[in-house]
Amino acid sequence: MRLAIIGLGYVGLPLAVEFGKKYDTIGFDINATRIEELKQGIDRTLEVSPKELKEAKNLSFTTSIEDIRGANIYIVTVPTPIDEHKNPDLTPLIMASRTVGRVLKKGDIVIYESTVFPGCTEEVCVPELERESGLIFNEDFFCGYSPERINPGDKKHRLPNIKKVTSGSTPEIAKEVDELYKSIITAGTHLAPSIKVAEAAKVIENAQRDINIAFVNELALIFDKLNIDTLDVLEAAGTKWNFLPFRPGLVGGHCIGVDPYYLAYKAKEVGYHPQIILAGRRTNDEMGIFVANKVVKLLIHKGHKVKGSKALILGITFKENCPDIRNSRVIDVIRELQDFGIDVDVYDPWADKEEVKREYGLELLQQEPSFTDYDSIVLAVAHEQFKKLDFGQIPTKSVVFDIKGILPKSLVDKRL
């Protein structure tokens, strides 16, 4: 058995490492810099430690398609983003399928882990594999789908101890795929009856979270008008045994803020216009603008001139204690404040300054800022480093908006 993992990001690398401990595994990525860093034992995503990379004795890395030609199991773990119109952008998935198709041979299995809409593997990926290889699906080669459940930055819930959903294009292949994952997943597996079921299961996991967060975000909008602290309400309601502990916030990242659009796209394709899913997306997408506008109102209330005032944003990553800036909705707060003529500085010790510059055109502060230099401060991400800052130095006239609700109420003007 020889495996090739296609795409070595937050999902692919941990998978390659686990398989590399047991099987001959090669990690393939088109990013030459990424491959060179991994060869040196460096993972810039911080999902895998240098020690874990060394433990994967059977793992090698390459950018050459020729190096993966000898594999008989290919696992595709490339990103599946959305485009500017919030429709699925399947370009990385299609290109990866074409790459695999060029080296595919009889008897090989191609497993997809990328989040997609139900039917995508067989309707979009398989035709690309057939076209490039000249082989026939379910006669010459086979497919599986096992949705990723990686939670970036989470050191407790990691690949081996998260239960894995598996599936295959025939009953026999499904069992083979399931056994393969069982060999590295200590939490066990769940064999779904079809690839479509497994695809649908993944996409609704994040759609469900998105809708639940949208509900509490809407509560935050209502309670703001009623002059009630939302977190106080949630803590009171949370004393009931079956109340779900969701908190309001900015919903970004590569999963929760993206996956619902994949399900909505497929629903509209078959003639159903989803109501709740898209309503939740609209609510969550507007929260950054709400935060910025509230900061402006608080500045005015405290006697500040808005245009030309200085704001400090603490955090640009999409979540705490993680360097991932993909689809971070903190940018919505920043852009809205800038539209008001506010001079915005951003400090985030977790984010890569070059990546932030390239993705958002922002220059990160390189040193811990002085709170006395700013008229408004927005705590956008709950990094552990931020919890240790001396917020007591903030001037009383400055506006403090705590999006994450981690600061004492006495220090803040507004919590989301």
Short mmCIF file of all heavy atoms in Angstrom, two decimals, residues 240-292:
data_model
loop_
_atom_site.label_atom_id
_atom_site.label_comp_id
_atom_site.label_asym_id
_atom_site.label_seq_id
_atom_site.Cartn_x
_atom_site.Cartn_y
_atom_site.Cartn_z
N LYS A 240 -30.32 26.37 32.26
CA LYS A 240 -31.22 25.26 31.93
C LYS A 240 -30.41 24.14 31.28
O LYS A 240 -29.55 24.41 30.44
CB LYS A 240 -32.33 25.72 31.00
CG LYS A 240 -33.41 24.67 30.81
CD LYS A 240 -34.52 25.11 29.87
CE LYS A 240 -35.55 24.01 29.73
NZ LYS A 240 -36.56 24.31 28.69
N TRP A 241 -30.68 22.89 31.65
CA TRP A 241 -29.84 21.76 31.25
C TRP A 241 -29.73 21.58 29.73
O TRP A 241 -28.71 21.10 29.25
CB TRP A 241 -30.36 20.47 31.89
CG TRP A 241 -31.62 19.94 31.25
CD1 TRP A 241 -31.71 19.04 30.24
CD2 TRP A 241 -32.96 20.31 31.59
NE1 TRP A 241 -33.02 18.81 29.91
CE2 TRP A 241 -33.82 19.58 30.73
CE3 TRP A 241 -33.55 21.17 32.52
CZ2 TRP A 241 -35.20 19.70 30.77
CZ3 TRP A 241 -34.92 21.28 32.57
CH2 TRP A 241 -35.72 20.56 31.71
N ASN A 242 -30.73 21.96 28.96
CA ASN A 242 -30.69 21.68 27.52
C ASN A 242 -30.52 22.94 26.67
O ASN A 242 -30.78 22.92 25.47
CB ASN A 242 -31.94 20.91 27.08
CG ASN A 242 -33.23 21.67 27.37
OD1 ASN A 242 -33.20 22.73 27.99
ND2 ASN A 242 -34.35 21.13 26.91
N PHE A 243 -30.08 24.03 27.30
CA PHE A 243 -29.83 25.25 26.54
C PHE A 243 -28.45 25.14 25.88
O PHE A 243 -27.47 24.83 26.55
CB PHE A 243 -29.88 26.49 27.44
CG PHE A 243 -29.78 27.79 26.69
CD1 PHE A 243 -30.90 28.36 26.11
CD2 PHE A 243 -28.56 28.44 26.55
CE1 PHE A 243 -30.82 29.55 25.42
CE2 PHE A 243 -28.46 29.63 25.86
CZ PHE A 243 -29.60 30.19 25.29
N LEU A 244 -28.37 25.38 24.58
CA LEU A 244 -27.12 25.21 23.85
C LEU A 244 -26.19 26.40 24.07
O LEU A 244 -26.61 27.54 23.90
CB LEU A 244 -27.39 25.05 22.34
CG LEU A 244 -28.28 23.86 21.96
CD1 LEU A 244 -28.51 23.83 20.46
CD2 LEU A 244 -27.66 22.54 22.42
N PRO A 245 -24.93 26.16 24.42
CA PRO A 245 -24.01 27.24 24.82
C PRO A 245 -23.31 27.93 23.65
O PRO A 245 -22.08 27.92 23.55
CB PRO A 245 -23.01 26.51 25.71
CG PRO A 245 -22.93 25.14 25.11
CD PRO A 245 -24.33 24.83 24.62
N PHE A 246 -24.06 28.54 22.75
CA PHE A 246 -23.46 29.30 21.66
C PHE A 246 -23.28 30.75 22.08
O PHE A 246 -24.06 31.28 22.88
CB PHE A 246 -24.32 29.22 20.39
CG PHE A 246 -24.22 27.89 19.70
CD1 PHE A 246 -25.10 26.86 20.01
CD2 PHE A 246 -23.23 27.65 18.76
CE1 PHE A 246 -25.01 25.62 19.39
CE2 PHE A 246 -23.13 26.41 18.14
CZ PHE A 246 -24.01 25.41 18.45
N ARG A 247 -22.24 31.40 21.53
CA ARG A 247 -21.95 32.80 21.83
C ARG A 247 -21.97 33.62 20.55
O ARG A 247 -21.62 33.11 19.48
CB ARG A 247 -20.56 32.93 22.48
CG ARG A 247 -20.48 32.34 23.90
CD ARG A 247 -21.29 33.15 24.88
NE ARG A 247 -21.17 32.70 26.25
CZ ARG A 247 -20.31 33.18 27.14
NH1 ARG A 247 -19.47 34.14 26.77
NH2 ARG A 247 -20.26 32.72 28.36
N PRO A 248 -22.32 34.89 20.61
CA PRO A 248 -22.27 35.74 19.43
C PRO A 248 -20.83 36.01 19.02
O PRO A 248 -19.91 35.87 19.83
CB PRO A 248 -22.96 37.02 19.89
CG PRO A 248 -22.79 37.05 21.38
CD PRO A 248 -22.79 35.62 21.81
N GLY A 249 -20.63 36.38 17.77
CA GLY A 249 -19.27 36.68 17.32
C GLY A 249 -19.17 36.82 15.82
O GLY A 249 -20.17 36.77 15.10
N LEU A 250 -17.95 37.01 15.36
CA LEU A 250 -17.65 37.09 13.94
C LEU A 250 -17.44 35.67 13.41
O LEU A 250 -16.62 34.94 13.95
CB LEU A 250 -16.40 37.93 13.69
CG LEU A 250 -16.40 39.35 14.27
CD1 LEU A 250 -15.06 40.02 14.03
CD2 LEU A 250 -17.53 40.17 13.67
N VAL A 251 -18.17 35.30 12.39
CA VAL A 251 -18.12 33.93 11.89
C VAL A 251 -17.29 33.89 10.61
O VAL A 251 -17.76 34.22 9.53
CB VAL A 251 -19.53 33.36 11.63
CG1 VAL A 251 -19.44 31.90 11.21
CG2 VAL A 251 -20.39 33.51 12.87
N GLY A 252 -16.03 33.48 10.75
CA GLY A 252 -15.15 33.40 9.59
C GLY A 252 -14.53 32.03 9.47
O GLY A 252 -15.11 31.03 9.89
N GLY A 253 -13.33 32.00 8.90
CA GLY A 253 -12.65 30.73 8.72
C GLY A 253 -13.05 30.04 7.44
O GLY A 253 -13.92 30.50 6.70
N HIS A 254 -12.42 28.90 7.20
CA HIS A 254 -12.62 28.20 5.94
C HIS A 254 -13.78 27.22 5.99
O HIS A 254 -14.07 26.56 4.98
CB HIS A 254 -11.33 27.45 5.57
CG HIS A 254 -11.32 26.94 4.17
ND1 HIS A 254 -11.41 27.78 3.07
CD2 HIS A 254 -11.27 25.69 3.67
CE1 HIS A 254 -11.40 27.05 1.97
NE2 HIS A 254 -11.31 25.79 2.30
N CYS A 255 -14.46 27.11 7.11
CA CYS A 255 -15.53 26.10 7.22
C CYS A 255 -16.90 26.71 7.47
O CYS A 255 -17.75 26.74 6.59
CB CYS A 255 -15.18 25.11 8.33
SG CYS A 255 -13.74 24.10 7.96
N ILE A 256 -17.12 27.21 8.70
CA ILE A 256 -18.46 27.65 9.08
C ILE A 256 -18.94 28.80 8.19
O ILE A 256 -20.12 28.85 7.83
CB ILE A 256 -18.50 28.07 10.56
CG1 ILE A 256 -18.11 26.89 11.45
CG2 ILE A 256 -19.89 28.56 10.96
CD1 ILE A 256 -18.08 27.20 12.92
N GLY A 257 -18.05 29.71 7.82
CA GLY A 257 -18.45 30.84 7.00
C GLY A 257 -18.52 30.54 5.52
O GLY A 257 -18.90 31.41 4.73
N VAL A 258 -18.18 29.31 5.12
CA VAL A 258 -18.12 28.95 3.70
C VAL A 258 -19.06 27.80 3.35
O VAL A 258 -19.81 27.87 2.37
CB VAL A 258 -16.67 28.57 3.30
CG1 VAL A 258 -16.62 28.02 1.88
CG2 VAL A 258 -15.76 29.77 3.44
N ASP A 259 -19.02 26.73 4.15
CA ASP A 259 -19.74 25.50 3.80
C ASP A 259 -21.24 25.67 3.56
O ASP A 259 -21.79 25.02 2.66
CB ASP A 259 -19.52 24.45 4.89
CG ASP A 259 -18.05 24.03 4.98
OD1 ASP A 259 -17.26 24.48 4.13
OD2 ASP A 259 -17.71 23.28 5.91
N PRO A 260 -21.95 26.52 4.33
CA PRO A 260 -23.38 26.68 4.06
C PRO A 260 -23.69 27.12 2.64
O PRO A 260 -24.74 26.77 2.09
CB PRO A 260 -23.82 27.74 5.08
CG PRO A 260 -22.85 27.59 6.21
CD PRO A 260 -21.55 27.26 5.55
N TYR A 261 -22.78 27.89 2.03
CA TYR A 261 -22.99 28.33 0.65
C TYR A 261 -22.93 27.16 -0.32
O TYR A 261 -23.57 27.18 -1.37
CB TYR A 261 -21.97 29.39 0.25
CG TYR A 261 -22.20 30.72 0.92
CD1 TYR A 261 -21.25 31.28 1.76
CD2 TYR A 261 -23.38 31.44 0.70
CE1 TYR A 261 -21.47 32.51 2.37
CE2 TYR A 261 -23.60 32.67 1.30
CZ TYR A 261 -22.64 33.20 2.13
OH TYR A 261 -22.87 34.41 2.73
N TYR A 262 -22.15 26.13 0.01
CA TYR A 262 -22.09 24.93 -0.84
C TYR A 262 -23.44 24.20 -0.82
O TYR A 262 -23.93 23.75 -1.86
CB TYR A 262 -20.97 24.00 -0.36
CG TYR A 262 -19.62 24.34 -0.97
CD1 TYR A 262 -18.92 25.48 -0.57
CD2 TYR A 262 -19.06 23.53 -1.95
CE1 TYR A 262 -17.70 25.80 -1.13
CE2 TYR A 262 -17.83 23.85 -2.52
CZ TYR A 262 -17.15 24.98 -2.11
OH TYR A 262 -15.95 25.31 -2.68
N LEU A 263 -24.01 24.07 0.37
CA LEU A 263 -25.32 23.41 0.48
C LEU A 263 -26.40 24.23 -0.19
O LEU A 263 -27.26 23.69 -0.91
CB LEU A 263 -25.66 23.18 1.96
CG LEU A 263 -26.95 22.40 2.25
CD1 LEU A 263 -26.95 21.04 1.56
CD2 LEU A 263 -27.12 22.23 3.76
N ALA A 264 -26.36 25.55 -0.01
CA ALA A 264 -27.35 26.43 -0.63
C ALA A 264 -27.26 26.38 -2.15
O ALA A 264 -28.27 26.38 -2.86
CB ALA A 264 -27.15 27.86 -0.13
N TYR A 265 -26.03 26.32 -2.66
CA TYR A 265 -25.82 26.24 -4.11
C TYR A 265 -26.49 25.00 -4.69
O TYR A 265 -27.20 25.06 -5.70
CB TYR A 265 -24.32 26.22 -4.39
CG TYR A 265 -23.94 25.88 -5.81
CD1 TYR A 265 -23.91 26.86 -6.81
CD2 TYR A 265 -23.61 24.56 -6.17
CE1 TYR A 265 -23.57 26.54 -8.11
CE2 TYR A 265 -23.27 24.23 -7.47
CZ TYR A 265 -23.24 25.22 -8.43
OH TYR A 265 -22.90 24.91 -9.73
N LYS A 266 -26.26 23.86 -4.04
CA LYS A 266 -26.84 22.61 -4.54
C LYS A 266 -28.36 22.61 -4.39
O LYS A 266 -29.07 22.11 -5.27
CB LYS A 266 -26.24 21.43 -3.79
CG LYS A 266 -26.60 20.08 -4.40
CD LYS A 266 -26.05 19.95 -5.82
CE LYS A 266 -26.36 18.59 -6.42
NZ LYS A 266 -25.82 18.47 -7.79
N ALA A 267 -28.85 23.19 -3.30
CA ALA A 267 -30.31 23.26 -3.09
C ALA A 267 -30.97 24.05 -4.21
O ALA A 267 -32.00 23.64 -4.77
CB ALA A 267 -30.61 23.89 -1.73
N LYS A 268 -30.37 25.20 -4.56
CA LYS A 268 -30.95 26.04 -5.62
C LYS A 268 -30.84 25.35 -6.98
O LYS A 268 -31.71 25.51 -7.83
CB LYS A 268 -30.23 27.40 -5.66
CG LYS A 268 -30.63 28.30 -4.49
CD LYS A 268 -30.04 29.69 -4.60
CE LYS A 268 -28.61 29.72 -4.15
NZ LYS A 268 -28.07 31.11 -4.07
N GLU A 269 -29.79 24.54 -7.15
CA GLU A 269 -29.62 23.81 -8.41
C GLU A 269 -30.75 22.82 -8.65
O GLU A 269 -31.13 22.55 -9.79
CB GLU A 269 -28.27 23.09 -8.39
CG GLU A 269 -27.86 22.52 -9.73
CD GLU A 269 -26.51 21.83 -9.68
OE1 GLU A 269 -26.43 20.74 -9.06
OE2 GLU A 269 -25.54 22.38 -10.22
N VAL A 270 -31.29 22.26 -7.57
CA VAL A 270 -32.39 21.30 -7.71
C VAL A 270 -33.75 21.94 -7.48
O VAL A 270 -34.75 21.25 -7.29
CB VAL A 270 -32.19 20.09 -6.75
CG1 VAL A 270 -30.96 19.30 -7.14
CG2 VAL A 270 -32.11 20.53 -5.30
N GLY A 271 -33.79 23.28 -7.47
CA GLY A 271 -35.08 23.98 -7.44
C GLY A 271 -35.60 24.38 -6.09
O GLY A 271 -36.77 24.78 -5.98
N TYR A 272 -34.78 24.32 -5.05
CA TYR A 272 -35.24 24.75 -3.73
C TYR A 272 -34.40 25.92 -3.26
O TYR A 272 -33.17 25.85 -3.23
CB TYR A 272 -35.13 23.61 -2.71
CG TYR A 272 -35.61 24.02 -1.33
CD1 TYR A 272 -36.97 24.04 -1.04
CD2 TYR A 272 -34.73 24.44 -0.35
CE1 TYR A 272 -37.43 24.44 0.20
CE2 TYR A 272 -35.16 24.85 0.89
CZ TYR A 272 -36.52 24.85 1.17
OH TYR A 272 -36.97 25.27 2.39
N HIS A 273 -35.06 27.00 -2.89
CA HIS A 273 -34.36 28.18 -2.39
C HIS A 273 -34.32 28.11 -0.86
O HIS A 273 -35.35 28.28 -0.20
CB HIS A 273 -35.04 29.47 -2.84
CG HIS A 273 -34.26 30.70 -2.46
ND1 HIS A 273 -33.17 31.13 -3.18
CD2 HIS A 273 -34.40 31.56 -1.42
CE1 HIS A 273 -32.69 32.22 -2.61
NE2 HIS A 273 -33.40 32.49 -1.54
N PRO A 274 -33.15 27.85 -0.28
CA PRO A 274 -33.08 27.70 1.18
C PRO A 274 -33.33 29.01 1.90
O PRO A 274 -32.79 30.06 1.52
CB PRO A 274 -31.64 27.21 1.40
CG PRO A 274 -30.88 27.69 0.21
CD PRO A 274 -31.84 27.70 -0.93
N GLN A 275 -34.14 28.96 2.93
CA GLN A 275 -34.51 30.16 3.68
C GLN A 275 -33.62 30.35 4.91
O GLN A 275 -32.95 31.37 5.06
CB GLN A 275 -35.99 30.07 4.12
CG GLN A 275 -36.96 29.86 2.97
CD GLN A 275 -37.06 31.06 2.05
OE1 GLN A 275 -36.97 32.20 2.50
NE2 GLN A 275 -37.23 30.81 0.76
N ILE A 276 -33.63 29.37 5.79
CA ILE A 276 -32.94 29.49 7.08
C ILE A 276 -31.43 29.57 6.88
O ILE A 276 -30.75 30.38 7.51
CB ILE A 276 -33.31 28.31 8.00
CG1 ILE A 276 -34.80 28.37 8.35
CG2 ILE A 276 -32.47 28.32 9.27
CD1 ILE A 276 -35.30 27.18 9.14
N ILE A 277 -30.89 28.73 6.00
CA ILE A 277 -29.44 28.69 5.80
C ILE A 277 -28.91 30.05 5.35
O ILE A 277 -27.95 30.58 5.91
CB ILE A 277 -29.06 27.61 4.77
CG1 ILE A 277 -29.38 26.21 5.33
CG2 ILE A 277 -27.58 27.69 4.39
CD1 ILE A 277 -29.28 25.11 4.31
N LEU A 278 -29.56 30.65 4.34
CA LEU A 278 -29.08 31.93 3.80
C LEU A 278 -29.40 33.09 4.74
O LEU A 278 -28.64 34.07 4.79
CB LEU A 278 -29.68 32.17 2.42
CG LEU A 278 -29.17 31.22 1.33
CD1 LEU A 278 -29.82 31.53 -0.01
CD2 LEU A 278 -27.65 31.31 1.20
N ALA A 279 -30.50 32.98 5.49
CA ALA A 279 -30.80 34.03 6.47
C ALA A 279 -29.72 34.06 7.55
O ALA A 279 -29.28 35.13 7.98
CB ALA A 279 -32.17 33.79 7.10
N GLY A 280 -29.29 32.86 7.99
CA GLY A 280 -28.22 32.80 8.98
C GLY A 280 -26.93 33.38 8.44
O GLY A 280 -26.21 34.11 9.14
N ARG A 281 -26.62 33.09 7.17
CA ARG A 281 -25.41 33.63 6.56
C ARG A 281 -25.45 35.16 6.50
O ARG A 281 -24.47 35.84 6.77
CB ARG A 281 -25.26 33.09 5.13
CG ARG A 281 -24.69 31.71 5.00
CD ARG A 281 -23.17 31.64 5.15
NE ARG A 281 -22.70 31.81 6.50
CZ ARG A 281 -21.84 32.73 6.87
NH1 ARG A 281 -21.35 33.58 6.01
NH2 ARG A 281 -21.45 32.83 8.12
N ARG A 282 -26.61 35.72 6.13
CA ARG A 282 -26.73 37.18 6.05
C ARG A 282 -26.50 37.82 7.41
O ARG A 282 -25.79 38.82 7.54
CB ARG A 282 -28.10 37.58 5.50
CG ARG A 282 -28.25 37.37 4.00
CD ARG A 282 -29.49 38.05 3.48
NE ARG A 282 -30.70 37.51 4.05
CZ ARG A 282 -31.37 36.46 3.55
NH1 ARG A 282 -30.90 35.86 2.46
NH2 ARG A 282 -32.46 36.01 4.12
N THR A 283 -27.10 37.23 8.44
CA THR A 283 -26.94 37.78 9.79
C THR A 283 -25.48 37.76 10.21
O THR A 283 -24.94 38.76 10.69
CB THR A 283 -27.79 36.97 10.80
OG1 THR A 283 -29.17 37.08 10.45
CG2 THR A 283 -27.59 37.49 12.21
N ASN A 284 -24.82 36.63 10.01
CA ASN A 284 -23.43 36.51 10.44
C ASN A 284 -22.49 37.39 9.63
O ASN A 284 -21.53 37.94 10.16
CB ASN A 284 -22.98 35.05 10.38
CG ASN A 284 -23.61 34.20 11.48
OD1 ASN A 284 -24.05 34.73 12.49
ND2 ASN A 284 -23.65 32.90 11.28
N ASP A 285 -22.77 37.53 8.35
CA ASP A 285 -21.92 38.36 7.50
C ASP A 285 -22.02 39.85 7.84
O ASP A 285 -21.13 40.62 7.48
CB ASP A 285 -22.27 38.15 6.03
CG ASP A 285 -21.60 36.92 5.43
OD1 ASP A 285 -20.70 36.36 6.10
OD2 ASP A 285 -21.98 36.50 4.33
N GLU A 286 -23.08 40.25 8.53
CA GLU A 286 -23.27 41.67 8.84
C GLU A 286 -22.73 42.08 10.21
O GLU A 286 -22.75 43.26 10.57
CB GLU A 286 -24.77 42.01 8.76
CG GLU A 286 -25.33 41.95 7.33
CD GLU A 286 -26.85 42.02 7.31
OE1 GLU A 286 -27.46 42.11 8.40
OE2 GLU A 286 -27.42 41.96 6.20
N MET A 287 -22.23 41.12 10.97
CA MET A 287 -21.83 41.43 12.34
C MET A 287 -20.62 42.35 12.42
O MET A 287 -20.51 43.19 13.33
CB MET A 287 -21.56 40.14 13.12
CG MET A 287 -22.81 39.31 13.37
SD MET A 287 -24.18 40.23 14.11
CE MET A 287 -23.51 40.58 15.74
N GLY A 288 -19.70 42.24 11.50
CA GLY A 288 -18.53 43.12 11.51
C GLY A 288 -18.92 44.57 11.32
O GLY A 288 -18.37 45.47 11.98
N ILE A 289 -19.88 44.81 10.44
CA ILE A 289 -20.37 46.18 10.20
C ILE A 289 -21.07 46.70 11.44
O ILE A 289 -20.91 47.87 11.81
CB ILE A 289 -21.31 46.18 8.98
CG1 ILE A 289 -20.52 45.83 7.72
CG2 ILE A 289 -21.99 47.54 8.82
CD1 ILE A 289 -21.36 45.66 6.48
N PHE A 290 -21.84 45.84 12.12
CA PHE A 290 -22.50 46.25 13.36
C PHE A 290 -21.48 46.68 14.40
O PHE A 290 -21.63 47.71 15.06
CB PHE A 290 -23.36 45.11 13.90
CG PHE A 290 -23.80 45.32 15.33
CD1 PHE A 290 -24.81 46.21 15.64
CD2 PHE A 290 -23.16 44.64 16.37
CE1 PHE A 290 -25.20 46.42 16.96
CE2 PHE A 290 -23.54 44.84 17.68
CZ PHE A 290 -24.57 45.74 17.99
N VAL A 291 -20.42 45.89 14.57
CA VAL A 291 -19.39 46.20 15.57
C VAL A 291 -18.77 47.57 15.27
O VAL A 291 -18.62 48.41 16.15
CB VAL A 291 -18.31 45.11 15.60
CG1 VAL A 291 -17.11 45.56 16.44
CG2 VAL A 291 -18.88 43.81 16.16
N ALA A 292 -18.38 47.77 14.01
CA ALA A 292 -17.72 49.04 13.64
C ALA A 292 -18.64 50.23 13.87
O ALA A 292 -18.21 51.26 14.39
CB ALA A 292 -17.28 48.97 12.18
#
